[in-house]
Every structure is written in C-alpha cells, then in structure tokens.
C-alpha cells in the first residue's frame, strides 16, 4: 500500500478562542494595526502567543513581541533575512488576492503549506469539491489529497474533515460515488486507501501551524514606558556620536551627569527606545554601578547600531536609591557617508500648530570625545575580516572540509592585509595556508565529538590581524561566554571597548551580561549587542575585565581578560570527576545513609582519594524523553505520550527541566529543555507515528543536545523497534554515551530477546541507567515510578583524578560499596 501520511514536522491541533472573545476578555481594545496583525497571522500564531500578545499594555511591547514572534520562526537566523516572514507575507498577499483573506480554509492551507501541485474540480455523493494534491517535496514526505467543500451561500470554503458535516467522503470514494476531472481518479484511490483515521490526521495537520520552540515564558515587557517630556529632576545632558567607520551605523549615546549627582548616586538605571516615525525600531536597558569611582565629566555611555536614516532617541535615567529621574529626547540622523556628527535637536512647534522645526545643534563636547580617543582610533581604522564556515549538518564526524573566508580591509595598505591563515584544532596547530582558498580538511573521528577549530589571519610579518573560532558539535545546551575585546597582549591606557560573545542554548534566552573592571561591577547589559565602551579609572590600574552572562533560569558563565599583561596567564588543570551513583540491593531498592567511608572508587584499577560524597535527591534534573514515533508505534503512541507526561508531572520540581525529542527516520526536537508542563504537554500532543526507525542517530542527537549541561542528566528512551535507518552504529552510540557521561534509561516495548535487547541493556548498564523490557503499555507507570525513585536516590561522589593517561583515552571507573548485599551502579568510565 502506498504511504499516505502528510510528512510535515509534528503539529499541534488546538482549538483557539475567537479573536473577538480574546479582545473582550483582555479589556481595552487593541489599536487597529495590531488587530490587523493578529488577523494576518491567525493561522500561524499559537493560542498562548495570542493570549500573551492581547494582554500586553504598551505599543512598544507589542512591537517587540512581533519582532520576537518572527525571530523564533526564522529558519536561518544567522542571515540578515527572515525567510519565514518573507514567505508568509508573500503568501498572504496572494491569499488575499485569491480568497479575500485568511477565513477561507484554502487560504489557511495555502499559507501554511504553499501552492498545491494540482487543483481539480470533482463531485462526491452529489457534493461539489475542490481537490488539492500535494506531491512529495520539501517538508511534505508523502502524496496527500485535501478536499474543500464550497459554501452554497458564497461564503468561505471549508476543508473536509471526517465526521464533520454530512459528507462521508471516504465512503463515497469507496462506493465509487465520486466523479470529475479524469486526473481526480488518483485522488479517489488515495481516499479509499487512506481511510477516515488517516484523513482525520492529515486534515488537522494541514490546518495547524508547526509549533515553534517555547519562547513566550521568556518574553518580558520592556522595563520602560514611552518617555514623555517632563521637567528633568536629575541634572544631566544627552549627547551622541558616530565613532565608527563611515556608514557602519554605530551610534554612541552618552548621558553626562552633574558632579553633585555623581557623588551621591551609586547606581543608575538607563533605558529607552529609538523610533522611526511612529515605529519603535530599538529598545534598550542598562544598569551602571560604582559611579563615585568615576571622575567628573565621564559620561554613562552605550552603543547601538542603526541603519542610515532619521530617528528619535528617547532616554530615561533613574537613580533607584532616590527615585530621581532624568528624561531626555533628541532627533538624530544616522549618516550613510563620512559625516562624523549629525545631531539634530527638536525646536518648539511652529506657530499655527505645524510640525516642529529641527535644526543642527552644537557638536559633542571635545573633552568628552577625548575620553574615547583610544577606542575610536581602533574603531575607525580599516581592519580585515575573517570568518570560518562550517559544513551543513548538526553532527559532524569523519573527514570534513572547512574554509576561512577573508575580507580585505578597504583602503588599507597591502602590508596590513591578511596574507595567510593558520588553522588549529583543540589548541594544537594543524597547518597554515599561504594563499586562497584558505581551506582545511580534518578527520573528526568516527563519532561526533566537541572540538574547537580556530583560524588566525596573518600579515606578511606573521602578526595576527583577525581570528575566528568554531565550536563543533557543541551540543544544544552549550552555554559559554567569550570576551573578544579587550584583547590579551594589548595595552589600554584611558579607554577600552568590551565586546562579549554569548553562546547560549537555542531554546533559552540571555537575561543579562554583567561587566566588571577588576572587582567593581560597572555595567549590566540586558540586550544585545553586548558591547560596552569603558573609560578606565585615573587611580590604581585595573588588572582585568570580567564578563558574566546569565540565562533566564539563573545559570551563568563567565570569561576574564587580563589587562596590560606582558605574558598570558598560566592555567592549572585540575580534573575533578563527579560520579552519580545508585546504591541498592539486588532487587533495586535504594540504600540510604552512606558516607565517604563506605565507598571506594577505582579508575583504571587505581584507587582514588575521595573529596566528597553526598546525597543528591534535591539536585535539579535535566531529562530528555526520547520517544519512538515510527509507524509501528501507531497503536501505542497515545498511551506512551500520556504515561510519559504523567511521569514528568509527578517528577519535575521547580528547578528541574525536561525536553521532548521524537524520532522515526530522523530525530526532531519537539520541546526544548523547560520546566513548563503546559509546553511539554503540547509537545506530546503534536506527536504522530509514521516512517522508519533511526534509533542510534536519534540517541546521539539527544546526547549532543544535553551537551554543555552539568549535574543530574538522563535520557529516557522508549521504543518498540530495532534500528533500520541510522547513519551511525551501536558502537558509535555507546562511545557517544560514554563521552556524554549521563544515564540512559531504556524502555523496550514488546522487543524479542536478541541482539537488540542485549545492546540496549549494555547501553543502560554502561551509563549507570537501567533497562526495562515489557510486553504492554500498562507496565509503563510502574517502570516510570522505579526510574523516578532511581533519580531521586543517588549519591554524588567527587574525586580528583590521579590518572596521567592521555586525555584522548577512555578511563574505566568502578565504584565499590562496603556494605554486604549492596551494589553500586554508575557509569562504566569516561573520557576526560
């Protein structure tokens, strides 16, 4: 039989409240332009997104929400274009032309799935139909037919769905009661073969948008309302400058405080927005600390980038200790040429109520500009660029080719251009290319591992002009911070520009970045770009600049750069090993009350000195539920999803997080790590069973997804089949699991005893997990209860490894507990 399911990404079918009902429930009506936007994206927006948007109180927050709405749907966020938004807007224009808007189901299906391969007229059981056929292509895996029933009164057509309306289309096709264009015969065959159950899934999915990753819980309204024009209570002046190269759009905004304020305030909150006409194009918030340590005349400064054009800048500054506020606003024209200063001030409105006149004002004060001379010289000088390109694909293994693309510095002398590129891998030199193309081929090994690929662009004398770095197979949860400026080995006397790159998990947002000069926190940045100009103190020299980034869940990462150091700091490698260990009797019942004297740990046969042993029943969990959604799971998937969700509801505590990853012929991240049970429930609701089984690929994907996390981590794998479709093999998956150092719990449903069960058992045993093989879904609740007890009754054993073997070698670990009848279960070893 021909496969008939519509092979899109998993969908979630959720009946939504009407827009009018939402507006009524939310209180004051939305402005018309935002009501119109909701109508435009009605087929695409989720119910939770819609409710959050309607509840927003300020236009600036609504504008920010719309921008974020499209950002999370951008398929290629690394490019300046948003292809998803462009495609939607183009289809919306076409849908309005053909069907008058988005209320017709043909319009909704077209917006979500694109143009069908054929549109045919037909009649079934006397009812007129319009048949749309989709052939296999990008996002659509199988041949699919959709039938639309016109409204006899001339209203919008509706997509036929089994059990809705009086027409039984499947029965009509089976009983040969359909006729029409000869080309429609294949569609009638499809309907007979598909049956009502498949048609129900297909039609629901055709009307429902792909669920984006959960982001609404991370969206917070702006900290400031639009700035008005009250009398200033804090004496200050608002200035700005364009310190970069001509046309690069860099704007430095400065608020100079009066000395009396500076001597009494220790902290300032500075926020505001940039408008282009009535539209908010940028919003920002900063916190500045340690003001008394900065001498008079040194302004609070920050940077934004804007396209050339005319804008209105509104700034609000508040001293939290006193509640005093300064509010200022200025017109500015961002130049597209070499004009350095293009500041405009708003004059009073012209007589007769006309538009306000604008006229140039005096340039920025020379003594303020002089403070940033050191930074500005670096910004204005032409610099070559270098960017490393990675091959496509999330998991890289085997021999891969990489290219370093060099951008020449316009107007710079030949001796200051990049002549050659030196490559390194994990800090070790690879080779140097002396002429373009600057490419390198690297054998990354059989299985995906984390590597750091570096490239340095050198001039004729061997000096480094530019550099770039890629972290390969970094893992979906990698969180790292890198201070790209200031640069080690350079001398900074009066000012510097701190630039921070934050590598955050794709499903979580950066809450803030704090910057320190020495031990003193000087600025907090709440939004990108994470760049901060700094004027250095007159007094004692600052030893270092430190950047600390925080995610919205409270986790942090940091980086530090020594200032004016003659040589790089030496690093001492201290390798601490953490073993999450279960202790129980032979039936699996946990044993409590053990201390460090009850354990012995051997690494490669050598006994280790333990630093700490503690119970970790309250340590936050990070779990991945890896669910088989291949075709054979069709009769089991609903029960499997329900039981897994019940487990998460019972197990997750406030600081715990879980993710949902489904797999058939490839893995798919349905819900990223979150503690939001509603989001997790939505991920399970969207699962559909079809296709084959790529078990080992999906397990490696899940292990990589948790890469970069620490603490108690586990994968809960549920499957009813053997691997038939993987690029990687069992040995590759086992090595990846060993490298990941996390527990895998296996639940095999109705699997025959043999090689498959032996491999899954070994996978669980080697990672410190457990394996369960059952006949029916009714056994799953008991298994999940055992897993929960297992996760909440672990010991964390910490020791400093005395092993001197090379870092590439696997180190075998054995834990022994000195209690009769008790056994310890942990990972079989690790890669340092």
């Amino acid at each position: 039989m021909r496969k008939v399911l519509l092979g899109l990404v998993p969908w979630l079918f959720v009946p939504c409240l009407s827009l009018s009902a939402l507006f009524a429930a939310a209180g004051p009506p939305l402005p018309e332009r935002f009501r119109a936007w909701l109508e435009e994206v009605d087929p695409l927006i989720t119910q939770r997104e819609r409710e959050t948007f309607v509840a927003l109180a300020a236009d600036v927050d609504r504008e920010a929400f719309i921008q974020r709405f499209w950002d999370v749907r951008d398929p290629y966020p690394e490019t300046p274009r948003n292809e998803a938004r462009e495609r939607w807007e183009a289809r919306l224009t076409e849908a309005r032309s053909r069907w008058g808007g988005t209320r017709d189901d043909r319009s909704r299906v077209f917006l979500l799935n694109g143009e069908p391969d054929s549109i045919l007229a037909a009649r079934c059981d006397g009812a007129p139909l319009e048949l749309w056929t989709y052939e296999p292509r990008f996002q659509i895996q199988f041949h699919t037919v959709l039938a639309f029933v016109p409204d006899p009164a001339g209203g919008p057509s509706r997509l036929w769905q089994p059990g809705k309306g009086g027409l039984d289309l499947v029965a009509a096709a089976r009983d040969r009661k359909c006729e029409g264009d000869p080309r429609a015969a294949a569609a009638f065959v499809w309907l007979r073969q598909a049956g009502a159950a498949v048609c129900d899934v297909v039609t629901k999915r055709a009307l429902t948008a792909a669920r984006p990753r959960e982001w609404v819980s991370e969206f917070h309204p702006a900290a400031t309302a639009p700035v008005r024009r009250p009398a200033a209570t804090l004496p200050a002046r608002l200035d700005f400058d364009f310190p970069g190269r001509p046309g690069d759009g860099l704007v430095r905004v400065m608020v100079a405080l009066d000395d009396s304020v500076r001597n009494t305030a220790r902290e300032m909150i500075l926020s505001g927005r940039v408008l282009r006409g009535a539209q908010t194009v940028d919003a920002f918030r900063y916190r500045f600390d340690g003001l008394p340590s900065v001498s008079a005349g040194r302004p609070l400064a920050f940077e934004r980038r804007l396209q050339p054009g005319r804008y209105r800048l509104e700034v609000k500054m508040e001293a939290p200790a006193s509640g005093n506020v300064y509010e200022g606003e200025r017109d500015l024209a961002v130049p597209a040429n070499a004009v350095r200063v293009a500041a405009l001030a708003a004059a009073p409105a012209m007589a007769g109520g006309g538009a306000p006149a604008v006229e140039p004002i005096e340039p920025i004060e020379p003594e303020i500009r002089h403070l940033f001379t050191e930074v500005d010289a670096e910004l204005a000088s032409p610099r070559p660029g270098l960017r490393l390109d990675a091959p496509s694909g999330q998991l890289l293994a085997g021999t891969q080719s990489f290219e370093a693309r060099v951008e020449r510095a316009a107007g710079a002398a030949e001796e200051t251009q990049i002549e050659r590129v030196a490559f390194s891998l994990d800090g070790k030199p690879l080779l140097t290319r002396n002429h373009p193309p600057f490419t390198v081929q690297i054998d990354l090994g059989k299985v995906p591992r984390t590597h750091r690929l570096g490239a340095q662009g050198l001039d004729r004398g061997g000096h480094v002009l530019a550099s770039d770095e890629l972290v390969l197979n970094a893992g979906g949860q990698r969180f790292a911070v890198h201070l790209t400026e200031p640069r080690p080995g350079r001398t900074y006397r009066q000012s510097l520009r701190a630039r921070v790159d934050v590598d955050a998990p794709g499903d979580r947002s950066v809450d803030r970045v704090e910057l320190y000069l020495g031990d003193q926190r000087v600025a907090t940045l709440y939004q990108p770009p994470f760049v901060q100009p700094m004027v250095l103190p007159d007094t004692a020299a600052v030893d270092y600049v430190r950047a600390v980034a925080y995610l919205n869940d409270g986790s942090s990462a940091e980086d530090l750069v020594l200032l004016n150091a003659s040589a790089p700091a030496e690093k001492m490698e201290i390798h601490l090993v953490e073993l999450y260990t279960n202790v129980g009797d032979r039936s699996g019942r946990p044993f409590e009350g053990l201390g460090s004297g009850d354990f012995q740990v051997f690494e490669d046969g050598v006994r280790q000195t333990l630093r700490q042993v503690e119970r970790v029943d309250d340590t936050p969990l990070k779990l991945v539920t890896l669910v088989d959604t291949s075709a054979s799971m069709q009769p089991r998937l609903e029960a499997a999803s329900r039981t897994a969700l019940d487990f998460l509801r019972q197990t997750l505590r406030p600081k715990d997080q879980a993710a949902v990853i489904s797999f058939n012929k490839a893995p798919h991240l349905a819900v990223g790590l979150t503690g939001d049970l509603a989001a997790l429930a939505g991920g399970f609701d969207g699962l559909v069973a079809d296709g084959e089984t790529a078990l080992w690929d999906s397990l490696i994907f899940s292990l990589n997804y948790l890469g970069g996390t620490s603490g108690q981590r586990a994968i809960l794998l549920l499957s009813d089949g053997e691997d038939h479709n993987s690029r990687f093999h069992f040995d590759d998956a086992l090595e990846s699991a060993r490298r990941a150092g996390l527990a895998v719990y296996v639940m095999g449903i109705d699997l025959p005893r043999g090689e498959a069960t032996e491999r899954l058992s070994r996978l669980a045993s080697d990672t410190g997990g457990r394996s369960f093989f059952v006949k029916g879904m009714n056994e799953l609740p008991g298994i999940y209860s055992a897993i929960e007890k297992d996760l909440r009754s672990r010991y964390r054993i910490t020791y400093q490894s005395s092993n001197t073997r090379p870092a590439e070698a696997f180190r075998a670990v054995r834990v022994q507990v000195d209690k009769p009848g008790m056994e310890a279960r942990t990972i079989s070893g690790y890669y340092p």
Side-chain angles (χ1 to χ4, degrees):
M1 175 188 266
R2 192 175 193 178
K3 292 184 178 178
V4 292
L5 286 180
L6 183 65
L8 303 181
V9 292
W11 303 79
L12 174 66
F13 185 72
V14 181
C16 293
L17 296 174
S18 68
L19 292 179
S20 59
L22 276 172
F23 295 151
L30 282 173
E32 180 57 34
R33 62 191 175 102
F34 295 116
R35 292 173 67 97
W37 180 78
L38 276 180
E39 292 281 359
E40 291 174 357
V41 299
D42 183 58
L44 189 62
I45 194 169
T46 68
Q47 183 173 344
R48 189 175 184 191
E49 287 174 327
R50 181 185 288 108
E51 292 171 349
T52 301
F53 181 79
V54 171
L56 295 174
D59 286 358
V60 62
D61 296 327
R62 296 178 183 122
E63 295 284 1
F65 182 99
I66 292 172
Q67 182 62 49
R68 188 68 178 140
F69 174 90
W70 288 115
D71 285 347
V72 299
R73 289 167 167 83
D74 188 355
Y76 308 107
E78 68 277 6
T79 66
R81 296 174 53 198
N82 188 322
E83 291 81 1
R85 185 172 189 172
E86 292 174 4
R87 182 172 60 246
W88 186 265
E89 291 173 350
R91 288 179 180 176
L92 184 63
T93 300
E94 178 68 14
R96 285 170 171 164
S97 172
R98 293 164 66 174
W99 301 291
T102 61
R103 298 189 181 278
D104 191 298
D105 280 352
R106 292 172 297 178
S107 174
R108 299 173 71 88
V109 171
F110 172 77
L111 285 167
L112 294 170
N113 304 290
E115 188 72 41
D117 292 279
S118 66
I119 300 178
L120 304 172
R123 298 184 71 87
C124 278
D125 210 9
L129 297 175
E130 187 174 297
L131 300 177
W132 286 21
T133 300
Y134 286 94
E135 299 295 344
R137 63 179 187 223
F138 175 67
Q139 284 196 327
I140 298 178
Q141 183 180 355
F142 303 113
H143 175 89
T144 303
V145 175
L146 303 173
F148 297 91
V149 182
D151 182 356
S157 295
R158 290 289 172 255
L159 177 62
W160 173 82
Q161 298 180 57
K164 294 188 177 182
L167 178 63
D168 187 342
L169 191 55
V170 173
R174 184 183 61 241
D175 298 339
R176 306 296 197 273
K177 294 182 180 180
C178 296
E179 58 184 3
D181 189 301
R183 293 173 296 170
F188 303 146
V189 172
W190 187 93
L191 289 167
R192 292 200 303 270
Q193 293 179 342
V198 169
C199 285
D200 185 55
V201 172
V202 167
T203 53
K204 286 180 178 179
R205 291 166 72 179
L207 279 176
T208 312
R211 185 185 182 96
R213 69 172 181 82
E214 204 290 317
W215 65 276
V216 177
S217 61
E218 302 172 359
F219 179 81
H220 302 291
T224 69
V227 179
R228 301 295 179 234
R229 201 191 292 263
T233 58
L234 282 176
R237 176 184 172 181
L238 176 62
D239 269 312
F240 54 85
D241 197 7
F242 303 97
R245 294 185 295 279
D248 68 359
L250 183 64
V251 182
R252 179 180 298 142
V253 181
M254 292 160 284
V255 182
L257 289 166
D258 184 89
D259 288 350
S260 61
V261 178
R262 188 181 303 278
N263 293 331
T264 58
R266 300 202 62 86
E267 178 186 6
M268 286 288 179
I269 304 296
L270 193 152
S271 52
R273 62 177 181 165
V274 179
L275 298 97
R276 193 167 196 169
Q279 182 182 8
T280 299
V281 297
D282 191 18
F284 48 82
R285 182 171 184 255
Y286 297 86
R287 182 178 69 200
F288 295 96
D289 304 87
L291 299 181
S293 66
V294 181
S295 64
R298 298 188 176 185
L300 306 180
F302 61 92
E303 294 179 359
R304 313 302 296 170
R305 283 195 184 272
L306 299 170
Q307 295 294 322
R310 297 173 68 87
Y311 301 90
R312 186 71 176 169
L313 171 68
E314 298 180 343
V315 171
K316 176 181 178 180
M317 184 174 65
E318 180 179 5
S322 64
N324 292 334
V325 174
Y326 163 80
E327 294 185 345
E329 51 187 88
R330 294 277 292 274
D331 287 336
L332 67 145
V334 178
N337 50 37
V339 177
R340 175 71 186 271
V341 178
L344 301 174
M350 294 188 299
V358 292
E359 57 188 28
I361 67 168
E362 70 277 9
I364 188 172
E365 295 177 3
E367 60 269 25
I368 292 180
R369 176 179 290 166
H370 177 71
L371 294 172
F372 297 100
T373 299
E374 197 171 353
V375 170
D376 293 350
E378 178 76 11
L379 284 171
S381 62
R383 289 172 294 175
L386 183 145
R387 187 185 77 250
L388 273 169
D389 287 346
S392 59
Q394 286 187 303
L395 299 179
L396 301 177
T399 301
Q400 301 287 341
S401 180
F402 301 86
E403 181 174 3
R405 298 186 181 275
V406 170
E407 300 174 1
R408 295 179 61 82
E414 283 299 318
E415 57 269 19
T416 60
Q417 302 285 5
I418 293 176
E419 296 287 338
R420 48 203 172 102
V421 174
F423 294 93
S424 63
L425 186 68
D426 299 329
K428 299 177 181 178
L430 285 176
L431 57 84
T432 299
R433 293 289 186 196
N434 294 320
H435 55 78
F438 300 111
T439 59
V440 61
Q441 285 196 326
I442 307 173
D443 184 358
L444 299 177
K446 288 180 57 181
V447 300
R449 293 173 49 192
T450 301
H451 295 281
R452 305 181 74 92
L453 175 65
Q456 292 185 328
L458 312 175
D459 65 12
R460 294 176 182 175
H463 301 103
V464 178
L465 300 180
S467 63
D468 194 15
E469 184 179 84
L470 288 178
V471 180
L472 311 177
N473 302 322
Q477 295 302 304
R478 181 177 185 268
F479 178 32
V481 172
H482 179 47
L483 267 166
T484 57
E485 295 181 36
R487 285 178 279 176
R490 289 204 50 186
T491 300
Y492 298 89
R493 300 301 184 194
Q494 186 181 47
S495 62
L496 58 85
R497 185 170 180 262
R499 184 160 64 92
V500 185
D501 288 347
V502 182
D503 189 359
D507 50 8
R508 285 185 284 171
S509 61
V510 179
D511 181 72
R512 66 191 186 278
V513 172
E514 296 179 348
L515 287 164
Y516 293 77
L517 282 173
D519 295 329
Q520 174 65 54
R521 184 179 63 193
V522 295
T524 304
L525 289 61
Y526 293 92
Q527 67 288 306
F530 298 116
V531 176
Q532 181 61 44
M534 297 181 179
V535 178
L536 298 177
D538 289 330
T539 55
V542 176
D543 294 330
Y544 58 86
V545 173
R546 183 165 66 103
V548 185
Y550 294 86
L551 297 181
N552 56 355
D553 63 359
S555 55
S556 64
E558 66 177 85
D559 191 21
L560 180 146
V561 172
L562 296 177
L563 293 181
N564 306 331
S566 57
E570 294 184 2
K571 293 185 178 180
M572 182 180 297
E573 294 291 340
I574 300 177
H575 188 66
L576 292 178
V577 181
E578 288 185 344
L579 301 177
Y580 287 90
T581 305
N582 289 92
V583 178
D585 58 22
R586 297 188 185 279
S587 64
R589 287 177 296 186
F591 191 85
E592 301 179 3
L594 300 178
S596 57
D598 298 312
F599 290 95
Q600 295 182 49
V601 175
F602 298 87
E603 184 175 303
D604 283 345
V606 178
R607 184 171 178 176
Q608 303 294 304
T609 300
L610 306 187
R611 284 198 169 190
Q612 189 177 25
V613 174
E614 58 182 335
R615 282 291 301 275
V616 291
D617 55 327
D618 59 348
T619 299
L621 296 171
K622 291 183 174 64
L623 305 176
V624 165
T625 54
L626 180 58
V627 182
D628 186 346
T629 56
S630 60
S632 60
M633 281 290 291
Q634 176 67 44
R636 303 183 176 100
L637 187 55
E638 182 179 354
S641 298
R642 183 178 63 253
T643 310
L645 181 59
D646 288 343
F647 163 76
L648 295 178
R649 284 174 172 156
Q650 179 178 334
T651 302
L652 295 187
R653 298 176 182 176
K655 293 185 178 181
D656 296 336
Q657 292 181 315
V660 179
I661 298 178
S662 63
F663 70 95
N664 44 30
K665 70 174 184 179
H668 170 71
L669 179 63
V671 182
L673 273 178
T674 180
D676 187 338
L677 287 170
L680 292 166
F684 283 114
D685 286 344
L687 301 183
V688 176
D690 60 54
E692 297 182 335
T693 307
L695 175 58
W696 307 130
D697 284 3
S698 303
L699 178 61
I700 291 174
F701 175 89
S702 302
L703 293 164
N704 181 262
Y705 175 76
L706 282 179
T709 61
S710 58
Q712 285 214 84
R713 304 168 299 157
I715 291 176
L716 280 58
L717 166 62
L718 188 148
S719 177
D720 72 343
E722 301 181 34
D723 190 296
H724 299 291
N725 209 53
S726 280
R727 160 190 169 202
F728 296 105
H729 304 290
F730 166 72
D731 290 341
D732 303 328
L734 181 61
E735 182 180 344
S736 295
R738 285 173 165 178
R739 291 186 181 278
L742 54 86
V744 179
Y745 290 84
V746 173
M747 289 166 278
I749 310 298
D750 200 21
L751 281 175
R753 294 288 177 177
E755 186 178 45
T757 56
E758 290 175 2
R759 287 178 168 180
L760 291 172
S761 297
R762 183 181 176 192
L763 176 68
S765 175
D766 278 18
T767 60
R770 296 174 67 182
S771 55
F772 306 86
F773 300 100
V774 298
K775 291 296 183 183
M777 305 302 291
N778 60 333
E779 300 180 60
L780 286 181
I783 292 173
Y784 277 119
S785 178
I787 292 174
E788 179 192 10
K789 186 179 295 184
D790 216 53
L791 293 170
R792 296 299 184 190
S793 58
R794 286 173 149 190
Y795 292 88
R796 180 169 54 214
I797 304 173
T798 306
Y799 68 93
Q800 182 176 334
S801 173
S802 63
N803 207 324
T804 59
R805 294 183 65 193
E808 295 80 9
F810 180 75
R811 300 179 178 184
V813 169
R814 179 170 58 89
V815 176
Q816 181 176 309
V817 60
D818 295 332
K819 292 288 183 182
M822 295 294 142
E823 294 181 349
R825 176 164 41 84
T826 189
I827 58 175
S828 62
Y830 71 96
Y831 288 92

